Amino acid sequence: MTKNDSTKATQAEEQQGAEAQAEQVVQDEQVESQATENESGDENQQRIEALELALSQAEQRADDANDRAVRAVAEMENVRRRSAQDVEKAHKFALEKFAGEILDTVDNLERAMDIAKQADDINQSFFEGIELTHKNLLSTLNKFGVEAVGAVGDAFNPELHQAMAMQPSEEHENNTVLAVMQKGYTLSGRLLRPAMVMVVKNS
């Protein structure tokens, strides 16, 4: 081998070595670039997951706050309704007790009128005064929802009438009121006291 050939061979080897180094550098850069991309992708995925978690937690807090607000409104409405009912019950109870006491006075006035009608020497002005007092008292009770129940000929109603006796009658239908011993009264549709009545019982 000549010196020239030896030089060429050396140059070829150096060139191959340089090319190999260059190829290795390119491969290393590609590996490093891929690793960087992978790391960047992992970081992005972690950020997305963190944002999704934060969003989920925020939505849960919002739902909880909304639920508490709805419950608070419902509780306030319940308190308002219960308070209104308590006031109404207290008012009705007070009026019921008062009306019950007044009914005794109404009964006494009616008894006085019945006695006066049977007397021969009753003072007419006195009798008219009793009638007017009785009428005004009933009118006042009516304004507050107090109504009389129990009249001759009414169908017997166990929710409004208390049967004190039964008697046959050809002039009246069966199971109707034949006579009223004491009137009954209701307050706004609720029974204050039942009417004491005699009921027709035809066999």
Side-chain angles (χ1 to χ4, degrees):
M1 177 181 296
T2 64
K3 184 178 180 180
N4 189 28
D5 292 337
S6 176
T7 299
K8 290 181 178 180
T10 300
Q11 291 176 350
E13 290 177 356
E14 290 177 355
Q15 184 176 357
Q16 290 177 354
E19 291 176 353
Q21 289 179 356
E23 184 177 352
Q24 183 64 42
V25 170
V26 171
Q27 290 178 353
D28 291 343
E29 289 179 353
Q30 289 178 345
V31 170
E32 184 177 354
S33 176
Q34 184 65 38
T36 301
E37 290 179 357
N38 291 338
E39 290 178 0
S40 178
D42 291 342
E43 290 178 359
N44 290 337
Q45 183 63 32
Q46 290 176 356
R47 289 174 184 170
I48 291 173
E49 291 176 354
L51 289 174
E52 289 177 345
L53 178 60
L55 178 60
S56 176
Q57 292 174 344
E59 289 176 345
Q60 183 62 45
R61 287 194 295 272
D63 290 341
D64 292 343
N66 182 67
D67 183 62
R68 288 194 297 271
V70 171
R71 291 184 180 182
V73 171
E75 182 61 25
M76 290 178 61
E77 180 63 22
N78 289 336
V79 170
R80 186 197 65 78
R81 185 168 57 252
R82 286 196 296 268
S83 298
Q85 290 175 347
D86 290 342
V87 171
E88 183 179 2
K89 287 179 181 178
H91 176 72
K92 285 184 176 180
F93 177 76
L95 185 58
E96 180 178 345
K97 186 176 181 180
F98 174 75
E101 295 293 332
I102 293 297
L103 292 182
D104 291 338
T105 303
V106 173
D107 293 339
N108 290 333
L109 288 173
E110 290 176 350
R111 292 189 189 99
M113 287 190 296
D114 289 339
I115 294 173
K117 289 177 182 179
Q118 298 174 6
D120 296 330
D121 56 347
I122 185 68
N123 185 298
Q124 189 63 30
S125 297
F126 177 73
F127 180 76
E128 290 176 355
I130 295 177
E131 279 190 321
L132 183 60
T133 302
H134 177 259
K135 181 179 179 181
N136 290 340
L137 191 55
L138 288 181
S139 177
T140 300
L141 289 172
N142 289 339
K143 289 180 181 179
F144 290 92
V146 178
E147 299 287 343
V149 295
V152 175
D154 287 350
F156 176 74
N157 183 348
E159 294 182 357
L160 300 176
H161 304 143
Q162 181 177 354
M164 305 302 293
M166 293 185 179
Q167 182 174 322
S169 174
E170 297 179 355
E171 299 176 358
H172 298 83
E173 294 183 5
N174 192 43
N175 207 37
T176 58
V177 175
L178 180 62
V180 178
M181 302 171 183
Q182 185 183 65
K183 289 181 181 179
Y185 290 88
T186 59
L187 172 61
S188 299
R190 186 171 59 177
L191 187 66
L192 273 177
R193 77 178 190 193
M196 297 181 181
V197 298
M198 180 182 294
V199 183
V200 177
K201 186 66 174 179
N202 293 323
S203 56

